[in-house]
Amino acid sequence: MEMEARVRDSFERQGLMHHLGAQLTEIAPGRVHIILPSRPEVTQQHGYFHAGATSAIADSAGGYAAYTLFPEDSSVLTVEYKINLLAPAEGTHLEAIGTVLKAGRTLTICRLEVYAIQPTNRTLTATGQQTLIRIDKRPER
């Protein structure tokens, strides 16, 4: 199965991304974009995007960025990630970008960025770094 189809197929099986309303928008080797439209279910008490929703799409964007570089008969799991929330996230949607910084045989390191998109501007609202593990000979279910 080609890389893009494998990533899309896996993303479709992600219950949390479906529950949040997140959408996979760009896939390239070592880089994935996910958007999350604004709606009341993903906000906190002040109307900003909830940090949990922001973190979830960042984690998935990084995970899928790593997965684009993995062999077909493998899977990916997050080992750890650190995220810094830089500004309140408000706008029409969020865009998370995961980018592979270093792909290793077992561990892969990704940069995570989340932007709040408004009609007239794009604001970096969160940034982070993530470590993922490749599990060989264990395709996804």
Side-chain angles (χ1 to χ4, degrees):
M1 180 183 298
E2 76 171 73
M3 174 266 297
E4 185 173 340
R6 187 168 50 95
V7 170
R8 287 191 186 284
D9 182 58
S10 177
F11 187 83
E12 289 302 315
R13 292 192 309 271
Q14 281 245 345
L16 181 60
M17 292 297 102
H18 178 74
H19 178 72
L20 293 175
Q23 303 158 21
L24 193 55
T25 58
E26 293 183 39
I27 302 167
R31 189 173 172 96
V32 164
H33 294 231
I34 294 173
I35 64 166
L36 179 64
S38 180
R39 54 191 236 286
E41 294 83 0
V42 296
T43 62
Q44 44 85 293
Q45 70 277 13
H46 299 289
Y48 300 122
F49 281 92
H50 193 283
T54 301
S55 299
I57 64 169
D59 175 43
S60 285
Y64 283 115
Y67 192 53
T68 65
L69 303 178
F70 291 0
E72 191 170 320
D73 67 342
S74 64
S75 59
V76 62
L77 289 173
T78 300
V79 173
E80 63 84 28
Y81 71 97
K82 160 88 167 96
I83 195 155
N84 293 96
L85 303 167
L86 306 174
E90 61 182 332
T92 60
H93 63 281
L94 295 180
E95 179 182 29
I97 303 169
T99 307
V100 172
L101 297 175
K102 169 85 169 72
R105 187 172 47 238
T106 304
L107 298 177
T108 296
I109 310 301
C110 290
R111 177 178 55 239
L112 310 173
E113 299 168 294
V114 182
Y115 294 88
I117 310 299
Q118 296 185 11
T120 58
N121 65 342
R122 180 176 190 248
T123 304
L124 181 64
T125 60
T127 186
Q129 186 168 296
Q130 174 186 50
T131 304
L132 302 124
I133 189 166
R134 182 176 89 192
I135 301 173
D136 289 326
K137 308 277 188 248
R138 187 171 173 190
E140 294 187 353
R141 297 180 205 188

